[in-house]
Coordinates of all heavy atoms in Angstrom, one line a residue:
Chain D
V75 N -20.9 -19.5 1.2 CA -21.5 -20.6 1.9 C -22.8 -20.1 2.8 O -22.6 -19.3 3.6 CB -20.5 -21.3 2.9 CG1 -21.2 -22.4 3.7 CG2 -19.3 -21.8 2.1
V76 N -23.9 -20.7 2.4 CA -25.1 -20.6 3.3 C -25.1 -21.9 4.1 O -24.9 -23.0 3.6 CB -26.4 -20.5 2.5 CG1 -27.6 -20.6 3.4 CG2 -26.4 -19.2 1.8
R77 N -25.4 -21.7 5.4 CA -25.7 -22.9 6.2 C -26.9 -22.8 7.0 O -27.1 -21.8 7.8 CB -24.4 -23.2 7.1 CG -23.2 -23.7 6.2 CD -22.0 -23.9 7.0 NE -22.1 -25.2 7.8 CZ -21.1 -25.6 8.6 NH1 -19.9 -24.9 8.6 NH2 -21.2 -26.7 9.3
N78 N -27.9 -23.7 6.7 CA -29.1 -23.7 7.5 C -29.3 -25.2 7.9 O -28.6 -26.1 7.5 CB -30.3 -23.1 6.8 CG -30.6 -23.8 5.4 OD1 -30.5 -25.0 5.4 ND2 -30.9 -23.0 4.4
V79 N -30.3 -25.4 8.8 CA -30.6 -26.8 9.2 C -31.0 -27.6 8.0 O -32.0 -27.3 7.3 CB -31.6 -26.8 10.3 CG1 -32.0 -28.2 10.6 CG2 -31.1 -26.1 11.6
A80 N -30.3 -28.6 7.7 CA -30.6 -29.6 6.6 C -30.4 -29.1 5.2 O -30.9 -29.6 4.3 CB -32.0 -30.1 6.8
N81 N -29.6 -28.0 5.1 CA -29.2 -27.5 3.8 C -30.4 -27.4 2.8 O -30.4 -27.9 1.7 CB -28.1 -28.3 3.2 CG -28.2 -29.8 3.3 OD1 -27.9 -30.3 4.4 ND2 -28.8 -30.5 2.3
L82 N -31.4 -26.7 3.2 CA -32.7 -26.6 2.4 C -32.7 -25.3 1.6 O -32.2 -24.2 2.1 CB -33.9 -26.6 3.3 CG -34.1 -27.8 4.2 CD1 -35.5 -27.7 5.0 CD2 -34.1 -29.1 3.3
V83 N -33.2 -25.4 0.4 CA -33.6 -24.2 -0.3 C -35.1 -24.1 -0.4 O -35.8 -25.1 -0.9 CB -33.1 -24.2 -1.8 CG1 -33.5 -23.0 -2.6 CG2 -31.5 -24.4 -1.7
P84 N -35.8 -23.0 0.1 CA -37.2 -22.9 0.0 C -37.5 -22.6 -1.4 O -36.7 -22.1 -2.2 CB -37.6 -21.8 0.9 CG -36.3 -21.4 1.7 CD -35.2 -21.9 0.9
P85 N -38.8 -22.8 -1.8 CA -39.2 -22.3 -3.2 C -39.2 -20.8 -3.2 O -39.3 -20.1 -2.2 CB -40.6 -22.9 -3.3 CG -41.1 -23.2 -2.0 CD -39.9 -23.4 -1.1
Y86 N -39.2 -20.3 -4.5 CA -39.2 -18.8 -4.7 C -40.5 -18.2 -4.1 O -41.6 -18.6 -4.5 CB -39.2 -18.6 -6.2 CG -39.2 -17.2 -6.7 CD1 -38.1 -16.3 -6.4 CD2 -40.2 -16.7 -7.5 CE1 -38.1 -15.0 -6.9 CE2 -40.2 -15.4 -8.0 CZ -39.2 -14.5 -7.6 OH -39.1 -13.3 -8.1
E87 N -40.4 -17.3 -3.2 CA -41.5 -16.6 -2.6 C -41.3 -15.1 -2.5 O -40.8 -14.7 -1.4 CB -41.9 -17.2 -1.2 CG -42.5 -18.5 -1.3 CD -43.0 -18.9 0.1 OE1 -42.1 -19.2 1.0 OE2 -44.2 -18.8 0.4
P88 N -41.5 -14.3 -3.5 CA -41.2 -12.9 -3.4 C -42.3 -12.2 -2.7 O -43.1 -11.4 -3.3 CB -41.2 -12.5 -4.9 CG -42.2 -13.4 -5.6 CD -42.1 -14.7 -4.8
D89 N -42.5 -12.5 -1.4 CA -43.7 -12.0 -0.7 C -43.3 -10.9 0.3 O -44.1 -10.5 1.2 CB -44.3 -13.2 0.1 CG -43.2 -13.8 1.0 OD1 -42.1 -13.3 1.1 OD2 -43.5 -14.9 1.6
G90 N -42.1 -10.4 0.2 CA -41.8 -9.3 1.1 C -41.4 -9.7 2.5 O -41.2 -8.9 3.4
E91 N -41.3 -11.0 2.8 CA -40.9 -11.5 4.1 C -39.3 -11.6 4.1 O -38.7 -11.6 3.1 CB -41.5 -12.8 4.4 CG -43.1 -12.8 4.6 CD -43.4 -11.9 5.8 OE1 -42.8 -12.0 6.8 OE2 -44.4 -11.1 5.6
Y92 N -38.8 -11.9 5.3 CA -37.4 -12.2 5.4 C -37.1 -13.6 4.9 O -37.6 -14.5 5.5 CB -36.9 -12.0 6.8 CG -37.2 -10.6 7.4 CD1 -38.0 -10.5 8.5 CD2 -36.7 -9.5 6.8 CE1 -38.4 -9.3 9.1 CE2 -37.1 -8.2 7.3 CZ -37.9 -8.1 8.4 OH -38.2 -6.9 9.0
H93 N -36.2 -13.7 4.0 CA -35.8 -15.0 3.5 C -34.3 -15.1 3.5 O -33.6 -14.6 2.5 CB -36.3 -15.3 2.1 CG -37.8 -15.4 2.0 ND1 -38.5 -16.5 2.6 CD2 -38.8 -14.6 1.5 CE1 -39.8 -16.4 2.4 NE2 -40.0 -15.2 1.8
A94 N -33.7 -15.7 4.5 CA -32.2 -15.7 4.6 C -31.6 -16.4 3.4 O -30.6 -15.9 2.8 CB -31.8 -16.4 5.9
T95 N -32.1 -17.6 3.0 CA -31.5 -18.4 2.0 C -31.7 -17.7 0.6 O -30.7 -17.6 -0.2 CB -32.0 -19.8 2.0 OG1 -31.9 -20.3 3.3 CG2 -31.3 -20.7 1.0
S96 N -32.9 -17.2 0.4 CA -33.1 -16.6 -0.9 C -32.3 -15.3 -1.0 O -31.8 -15.0 -2.2 CB -34.6 -16.2 -1.0 OG -35.4 -17.4 -0.9
A97 N -32.1 -14.6 0.1 CA -31.3 -13.4 0.0 C -29.8 -13.7 -0.4 O -29.2 -13.1 -1.2 CB -31.3 -12.7 1.4
A98 N -29.3 -14.8 0.3 CA -28.0 -15.2 -0.1 C -27.8 -15.7 -1.5 O -26.9 -15.4 -2.2 CB -27.5 -16.3 0.9
L99 N -28.9 -16.4 -2.0 CA -28.9 -16.8 -3.4 C -28.9 -15.6 -4.3 O -28.1 -15.6 -5.3 CB -30.1 -17.7 -3.6 CG -30.2 -18.3 -5.0 CD1 -29.1 -19.2 -5.4 CD2 -31.6 -19.0 -5.2
E100 N -29.7 -14.7 -4.0 CA -29.8 -13.5 -4.9 C -28.4 -12.8 -4.9 O -27.9 -12.3 -5.9 CB -30.9 -12.5 -4.3 CG -31.0 -11.3 -5.1 CD -32.0 -10.3 -4.5 OE1 -31.7 -9.6 -3.5 OE2 -33.2 -10.2 -5.0
F101 N -27.8 -12.7 -3.7 CA -26.5 -12.0 -3.7 C -25.4 -12.8 -4.5 O -24.7 -12.2 -5.2 CB -26.0 -11.9 -2.2 CG -24.9 -11.0 -2.0 CD1 -25.0 -9.6 -2.0 CD2 -23.6 -11.5 -1.9 CE1 -24.0 -8.7 -1.8 CE2 -22.5 -10.6 -1.7 CZ -22.7 -9.2 -1.7
A102 N -25.5 -14.1 -4.4 CA -24.5 -14.9 -5.0 C -24.6 -14.8 -6.6 O -23.7 -14.7 -7.3 CB -24.6 -16.4 -4.6
L103 N -25.9 -14.8 -7.0 CA -26.1 -14.8 -8.5 C -25.9 -13.4 -9.1 O -25.3 -13.2 -10.1 CB -27.5 -15.3 -8.8 CG -27.8 -16.7 -8.4 CD1 -29.3 -17.0 -8.7 CD2 -26.9 -17.7 -9.2
H104 N -26.5 -12.4 -8.4 CA -26.5 -11.1 -9.0 C -25.3 -10.2 -8.7 O -24.9 -9.4 -9.5 CB -27.8 -10.3 -8.6 CG -29.0 -11.0 -9.2 ND1 -29.6 -10.7 -10.4 CD2 -29.8 -12.0 -8.7 CE1 -30.6 -11.4 -10.7 NE2 -30.8 -12.3 -9.6
A105 N -24.8 -10.3 -7.4 CA -23.7 -9.5 -7.1 C -22.4 -10.2 -7.4 O -21.4 -9.7 -7.9 CB -23.7 -9.1 -5.6
L106 N -22.3 -11.5 -7.0 CA -21.0 -12.3 -7.2 C -20.9 -13.0 -8.5 O -19.9 -13.4 -8.9 CB -20.9 -13.3 -6.0 CG -20.9 -12.6 -4.6 CD1 -20.8 -13.7 -3.6 CD2 -19.7 -11.7 -4.5
K107 N -22.1 -13.3 -9.1 CA -22.1 -14.0 -10.4 C -21.4 -15.3 -10.3 O -20.6 -15.7 -11.2 CB -21.6 -13.1 -11.5 CG -22.3 -11.7 -11.6 CD -22.1 -11.0 -12.9 CE -22.7 -9.6 -12.8 NZ -24.2 -9.6 -12.5
V108 N -21.8 -16.1 -9.3 CA -21.2 -17.5 -9.2 C -21.6 -18.3 -10.4 O -22.6 -18.1 -11.0 CB -21.6 -18.2 -7.9 CG1 -21.1 -17.4 -6.7 CG2 -23.1 -18.4 -7.8
E109 N -20.8 -19.3 -10.7 CA -21.1 -20.2 -11.8 C -21.7 -21.5 -11.4 O -22.2 -22.3 -12.2 CB -19.8 -20.4 -12.6 CG -19.2 -19.1 -13.2 CD -17.7 -19.3 -13.6 OE1 -17.4 -20.5 -13.9 OE2 -17.0 -18.3 -13.7
H110 N -21.5 -21.8 -10.1 CA -22.0 -23.1 -9.6 C -22.8 -22.9 -8.3 O -22.3 -22.1 -7.4 CB -20.8 -24.1 -9.3 CG -19.9 -24.3 -10.5 ND1 -20.2 -25.3 -11.4 CD2 -18.8 -23.8 -10.9 CE1 -19.3 -25.3 -12.3 NE2 -18.4 -24.4 -12.0
V111 N -23.8 -23.7 -8.1 CA -24.5 -23.8 -6.8 C -24.5 -25.2 -6.4 O -25.0 -26.1 -7.2 CB -25.9 -23.2 -6.8 CG1 -26.6 -23.4 -5.4 CG2 -25.9 -21.7 -7.2
V112 N -24.0 -25.5 -5.3 CA -23.9 -26.9 -4.8 C -24.7 -27.1 -3.5 O -24.6 -26.3 -2.6 CB -22.4 -27.3 -4.5 CG1 -22.4 -28.8 -3.9 CG2 -21.5 -27.1 -5.6
V113 N -25.7 -28.0 -3.5 CA -26.4 -28.3 -2.3 C -25.7 -29.6 -1.7 O -25.6 -30.6 -2.3 CB -27.9 -28.6 -2.6 CG1 -28.6 -29.1 -1.3 CG2 -28.6 -27.5 -3.3
L114 N -25.2 -29.3 -0.5 CA -24.3 -30.4 0.2 C -25.1 -30.9 1.4 O -25.2 -30.2 2.4 CB -23.0 -29.8 0.6 CG -22.1 -30.7 1.4 CD1 -21.6 -31.9 0.6 CD2 -20.9 -29.9 1.9
G115 N -25.5 -32.2 1.3 CA -26.1 -32.8 2.5 C -25.1 -33.7 3.1 O -24.0 -33.9 2.7
H116 N -25.6 -34.4 4.2 CA -24.7 -35.3 4.9 C -25.5 -36.4 5.7 O -26.7 -36.2 5.9 CB -23.8 -34.5 5.9 CG -24.6 -33.9 7.0 ND1 -24.7 -34.6 8.2 CD2 -25.3 -32.8 7.1 CE1 -25.5 -33.8 9.0 NE2 -25.8 -32.7 8.4
G117 N -24.8 -37.4 6.0 CA -25.4 -38.5 6.8 C -25.7 -38.1 8.2 O -25.0 -37.3 8.8
G118 N -26.8 -38.7 8.8 CA -27.1 -38.5 10.2 C -27.6 -37.1 10.5 O -27.3 -36.6 11.6
C119 N -28.3 -36.5 9.5 CA -28.7 -35.1 9.7 C -29.8 -35.0 10.7 O -30.9 -35.6 10.5 CB -29.1 -34.5 8.3 SG -29.7 -32.8 8.4
G120 N -29.7 -34.2 11.7 CA -30.7 -34.0 12.8 C -31.9 -33.4 12.3 O -33.0 -33.7 12.8
G121 N -31.8 -32.5 11.3 CA -33.0 -31.9 10.7 C -33.9 -32.9 10.0 O -35.1 -32.9 10.1
I122 N -33.2 -33.7 9.2 CA -33.9 -34.7 8.4 C -34.6 -35.7 9.4 O -35.7 -36.1 9.2 CB -32.9 -35.5 7.5 CG1 -32.4 -34.5 6.4 CG2 -33.6 -36.7 6.9 CD1 -33.4 -34.0 5.4
H123 N -33.9 -36.0 10.5 CA -34.4 -36.9 11.5 C -35.7 -36.3 12.1 O -36.7 -37.0 12.2 CB -33.4 -37.1 12.6 CG -33.9 -38.0 13.7 ND1 -33.9 -39.4 13.5 CD2 -34.4 -37.8 14.9 CE1 -34.4 -39.9 14.6 NE2 -34.7 -39.0 15.5
A124 N -35.7 -35.0 12.3 CA -36.9 -34.3 12.9 C -38.0 -34.3 11.9 O -39.2 -34.5 12.2 CB -36.5 -32.8 13.2
A125 N -37.7 -34.2 10.6 CA -38.7 -34.2 9.5 C -39.4 -35.6 9.5 O -40.6 -35.7 9.1 CB -38.1 -33.9 8.2
L126 N -38.7 -36.6 9.9 CA -39.2 -38.0 9.9 C -39.9 -38.3 11.2 O -40.4 -39.4 11.3 CB -38.1 -39.0 9.6 CG -37.7 -38.9 8.1 CD1 -36.4 -39.7 7.9 CD2 -38.8 -39.5 7.2
S127 N -39.9 -37.4 12.2 CA -40.6 -37.7 13.4 C -41.6 -36.6 13.7 O -41.6 -35.9 14.7 CB -39.5 -37.6 14.6 OG -38.3 -38.3 14.2
P128 N -42.6 -36.5 12.8 CA -43.5 -35.4 12.9 C -44.4 -35.3 14.2 O -44.9 -34.3 14.5 CB -44.4 -35.6 11.7 CG -44.4 -37.0 11.4 CD -43.0 -37.5 11.8
S129 N -44.5 -36.4 14.8 CA -45.4 -36.4 16.0 C -44.6 -36.0 17.3 O -45.2 -35.9 18.3 CB -46.0 -37.8 16.3 OG -44.9 -38.7 16.5
A130 N -43.3 -35.9 17.1 CA -42.5 -35.5 18.3 C -42.9 -34.2 18.8 O -43.5 -33.3 18.1 CB -41.0 -35.5 17.9
E131 N -42.7 -34.0 20.1 CA -42.9 -32.6 20.8 C -42.1 -31.6 20.1 O -40.9 -31.8 19.6 CB -42.3 -32.7 22.2 CG -43.2 -33.4 23.2 CD -44.4 -32.5 23.6 OE1 -44.2 -31.5 24.2 OE2 -45.6 -32.9 23.2
P132 N -42.6 -30.4 19.9 CA -41.8 -29.3 19.4 C -40.6 -29.1 20.4 O -40.7 -29.3 21.6 CB -42.7 -28.1 19.5 CG -44.1 -28.6 19.6 CD -44.0 -29.9 20.2
L133 N -39.5 -28.7 19.8 CA -38.3 -28.4 20.7 C -38.6 -27.3 21.6 O -38.1 -27.2 22.7 CB -37.1 -28.1 19.8 CG -36.4 -29.4 19.1 CD1 -35.4 -28.9 18.2 CD2 -35.8 -30.3 20.2
S134 N -39.3 -26.3 21.1 CA -39.7 -25.1 22.0 C -41.1 -24.7 21.6 O -41.5 -25.1 20.5 CB -38.7 -24.0 21.9 OG -39.0 -23.2 20.7
P135 N -41.8 -23.9 22.4 CA -43.1 -23.4 22.0 C -43.1 -22.7 20.6 O -44.1 -22.8 19.9 CB -43.5 -22.4 23.1 CG -42.7 -22.9 24.3 CD -41.4 -23.4 23.7
G136 N -42.0 -22.1 20.2 CA -42.0 -21.4 18.9 C -42.0 -22.4 17.8 O -42.4 -22.1 16.6
D137 N -41.6 -23.7 18.0 CA -41.5 -24.8 17.0 C -40.9 -24.3 15.7 O -41.5 -24.6 14.6 CB -42.9 -25.3 16.8 CG -42.9 -26.7 16.0 OD1 -41.8 -27.3 16.1 OD2 -43.9 -27.0 15.4
F138 N -39.8 -23.7 15.8 CA -39.1 -23.2 14.6 C -38.6 -24.3 13.7 O -38.6 -24.3 12.5 CB -38.0 -22.2 14.9 CG -38.5 -20.9 15.5 CD1 -38.3 -20.7 16.9 CD2 -39.1 -19.9 14.7 CE1 -38.7 -19.5 17.4 CE2 -39.5 -18.7 15.3 CZ -39.4 -18.5 16.7
I139 N -38.1 -25.4 14.3 CA -37.6 -26.5 13.6 C -38.7 -27.2 12.9 O -38.6 -27.6 11.7 CB -36.8 -27.5 14.5 CG1 -35.4 -26.9 14.7 CG2 -36.8 -28.9 14.0 CD1 -34.4 -27.1 13.5
G140 N -39.8 -27.4 13.6 CA -40.9 -28.1 13.1 C -41.4 -27.4 11.8 O -41.7 -28.0 10.8
K141 N -41.5 -26.1 11.9 CA -42.0 -25.3 10.8 C -41.0 -25.4 9.6 O -41.3 -25.5 8.5 CB -42.2 -23.8 11.2 CG -42.7 -22.9 10.1 CD -44.1 -23.3 9.6 CE -44.5 -22.5 8.4 NZ -45.8 -23.0 7.8
W142 N -39.7 -25.2 10.0 CA -38.6 -25.2 9.0 C -38.6 -26.5 8.2 O -38.6 -26.5 7.0 CB -37.3 -24.9 9.6 CG -36.1 -24.9 8.7 CD1 -35.1 -25.8 8.7 CD2 -35.8 -24.0 7.7 NE1 -34.2 -25.5 7.7 CE2 -34.6 -24.4 7.1 CE3 -36.4 -22.8 7.2 CZ2 -34.0 -23.6 6.1 CZ3 -35.9 -22.1 6.2 CH2 -34.7 -22.5 5.6
M143 N -38.6 -27.6 8.9 CA -38.5 -28.9 8.3 C -39.8 -29.2 7.5 O -39.8 -30.1 6.6 CB -38.2 -30.0 9.3 CG -36.8 -29.9 9.9 SD -35.4 -29.5 8.7 CE -35.6 -30.9 7.6
S144 N -40.9 -28.5 7.8 CA -42.2 -28.8 7.1 C -42.0 -28.4 5.6 O -42.8 -28.7 4.8 CB -43.4 -28.0 7.7 OG -43.3 -26.7 7.4
L145 N -40.9 -27.6 5.3 CA -40.6 -27.3 3.9 C -40.5 -28.6 3.1 O -40.7 -28.6 1.9 CB -39.3 -26.6 3.8 CG -39.3 -25.1 4.0 CD1 -37.9 -24.5 4.2 CD2 -40.0 -24.4 2.8
L146 N -40.1 -29.7 3.8 CA -40.0 -31.0 3.1 C -41.3 -31.8 3.1 O -41.3 -32.9 2.5 CB -38.9 -31.8 3.8 CG -37.5 -31.3 3.6 CD1 -36.5 -32.3 4.3 CD2 -37.1 -31.2 2.1
D147 N -42.4 -31.3 3.6 CA -43.6 -32.1 3.6 C -44.0 -32.6 2.3 O -44.4 -33.8 2.2 CB -44.8 -31.2 4.2 CG -44.7 -31.1 5.7 OD1 -43.9 -31.8 6.3 OD2 -45.6 -30.4 6.3

Side-chain angles (χ1 to χ4, degrees):
Chain D
V75 178
V76 170
R77 290 178 71 177
N78 60 40
V79 172
N81 42 277
L82 298 184
V83 179
Y86 181 65
E87 286 191 286
D89 56 5
E91 296 296 319
Y92 304 120
H93 292 289
T95 306
S96 303
L99 180 66
E100 182 183 78
F101 193 80
L103 295 178
H104 293 270
L106 301 177
K107 306 197 185 303
V108 298
E109 300 166 21
H110 302 277
V111 178
V112 178
V113 178
L114 172 65
H116 68 94
C119 178
I122 296 293
H123 182 79
L126 287 167
S127 315
S129 63
E131 281 284 293
L133 284 172
S134 82
D137 193 21
F138 293 105
I139 278 286
K141 181 66 188 172
W142 178 249
M143 294 312 304
S144 78
L145 277 167
L146 289 180
D147 280 355

